[in-house]
Amino acid sequence: MSAEALPVATPAQVRTYARRLIVRHPRALAGVLALHALAAATGLVTPRLLGELVEGVRDGHAAIDAVGLAIAGFVTVQAVLTRYAYFASARLGERVLAELREEFVDRVLALPLSRVERAGTGDLVTRASRDVDTLASSVRYALPETLVAVVVGGFTAGALLLTGPLVALPALVTAPLLWAVMRWYLPRARGGYLRENAAWSRIAAGLTETVQGARTVEALGLAGRRHARGDADIAESYRAERYTLRLRMVLLPAAELGLVLPVVATLVTGGFLYIHGHASLAQVTAATLYAQQLIEPVDIVLFRLDELQLGGASLARLLGVGHVPPDRAAGGRVPEGERLTARGVRYSYRPGQDVLHGVDLDLRPGERLAMVGPSGAGKSTLGRLLAGVDGPRAGAVTVGADGGVPLVELPLDDLRGHVALVTQEHHVFQGTLRENLVMARPGASDAEIAQVLEAVDWDGPGLDARVGAGATGADAATLSPAQAQQLALARLVLADPHTLVLDEATSLLDPRAARRLERSLAAVLDGRTVVAIAHRLHTAHDADRVAVVEDGRVTELGTHDELIAREGSYAALWASWHGTP
Ligand code: ADP
């Protein structure tokens, strides 16, 4: 299955979002900027004082002690202000970051399951780890430092101009060079970094796939091919990194030159201006010091821009996750009744290749319907649609009387109160047993939980035991596969859906555990509508009705006896299974 990468936000979308992000906490931001501006302003007094001092020394009437004391005072005030300014910006940064993370989690949780499956987990994992980290470092360091540098740089440039326009001019000699280099660099950097991150996603996707499918890889002797894919991914990642490295190799020397030259130019031109009487010694001294002071903020802006680009690329990938069109839209209608109906349902995993071709199916409340048919006929797919895990491409699966409400219009929490899919996958979440259960019905009391556990014949640890991968400590417990399955059933009882879709719920267990579990299952199924996907035929015999699915259609529907009497596909299947009809 070829993975289809999740979308990436466009530059315009990222800019809009970033702008909103910056002004989301206007008061905190104003405070931070004001503190930095104040710190910068106090830092600008020193060069002026030094300029006066130099001139005073030349003229022989310098008040060295007083000026020295004043400078010490301003430096101290600047240090204190800077400390608080950084503290305030760090706090703001962390707050924004926390919000970003929460929003990302919301976006991920809202992703349609089908889309996640198509994209593969590697892409999502890389976005959740590498991209979140990159963005974090941007928001933590690059963003505040750039803002501060812009403030400080602006103030310093202003002070330089106030010192004298003539002595300020030489500081601008390299501005065109810096401008041109950045114009060249920035557009290339975005593409380069996006490509770098996509390459990382591919490596992660390939690795997770190999690890998850290790048995298959081994069984089919695919190690060579997996190696080749890994090598190709690494080669692409290498090329992507080389590209951005080349970009930096142009940027860095140019920036270095652009930063140092203005100081030299100011000093040389200033000396010339002084000799010809166009500038005072104090002006030249102060201007040179300001030019020197400008290096740091400009340097920060240039280099943090690079990081901001990286952060921007990551933000584009994080925001992109939110641009997957939802496969469900809450319509606000509340279904009346428990009748589940499929009308003209079509579904395709790949565009143009329908695997269901217009399925109609009416479930009678309380009945047990077995779905049989050859492997690949579409039973599991139909089961997922009946459970509302996915929406059909055309047609609708609805619940309730009078046409009903489409399952995809129900909020997920409500949906689970109507219909649930039971498969062989039983995830035990990290946490206590209680936490593992109440997620099915938030607010459930211990008494309710105890009742439910009894219903599924629970023989595992108590409610406070810590379960799930990596549980450690005195209260840690490891659940057997049968217990994990019981836990899943208990969750179902708590969620209390009126309709259940069973996709081979008990087939993985050894026969003794299976019998036990069947008892628990029977308790769970009691009184509910059940669609059992019977990959083996014996379940069909005991069901109220049997639906035969062939090639994406329901071809026969009726009781076991009716279908046997019809002498169609089901009768043939049954005969081939049992020898006699
Ligand atoms: P059954 O449960 O009857 O064995 P499925 O519903 O699993 O049938 O599959 C129906 C068809 O859909 C098959 O042709 C299968 O190859 C295809 N299919 C199932 N799952 C996927 C998937 N995730 N991506 C692409 N095709 C799929």
Side-chain angles (χ1 to χ4, degrees), residues 321-347:
V321 172
H323 292 169
V324 175
D327 65 345
R328 38 192 346 114
R333 282 192 290 160
V334 180
E336 281 173 37
E338 303 185 344
R339 186 174 282 274
L340 209 66
T341 311
R343 281 279 168 272
V345 163
R346 293 172 191 280
Y347 188 85

Side-chain angles (χ1 to χ4, degrees), residues 141-202:
Y141 310 110
L143 198 60
E145 285 194 15
T146 310
L147 278 178
V148 170
V150 168
V151 172
V152 174
F155 270 60
T156 312
L160 181 57
L161 272 178
L162 285 180
T163 309
L166 222 49
V167 286
L169 267 178
L172 292 176
V173 280
T174 53
L177 169 72
L178 290 177
W179 178 255
V181 169
M182 291 326 275
R183 278 295 293 261
W184 173 83
Y185 173 80
L186 289 176
R188 284 169 181 75
R190 181 184 141 89
Y193 288 127
L194 274 178
R195 189 173 142 205
E196 220 177 90
N197 291 0
W200 269 90
S201 274
R202 257 190 77 75

Side-chain angles (χ1 to χ4, degrees), residues 355-357 372-381 548-553:
V355 298
L356 295 179
H357 311 280
V372 301
S375 169
K379 300 183 295 295
S380 298
T381 307
V548 180
V549 180
E550 288 172 302
D551 198 17
R553 292 186 178 82

Side-chain angles (χ1 to χ4, degrees), residues 7 145 242 311 483 569:
E145 285 194 15
R242 279 282 295 243
Q483 286 169 341
S569 300

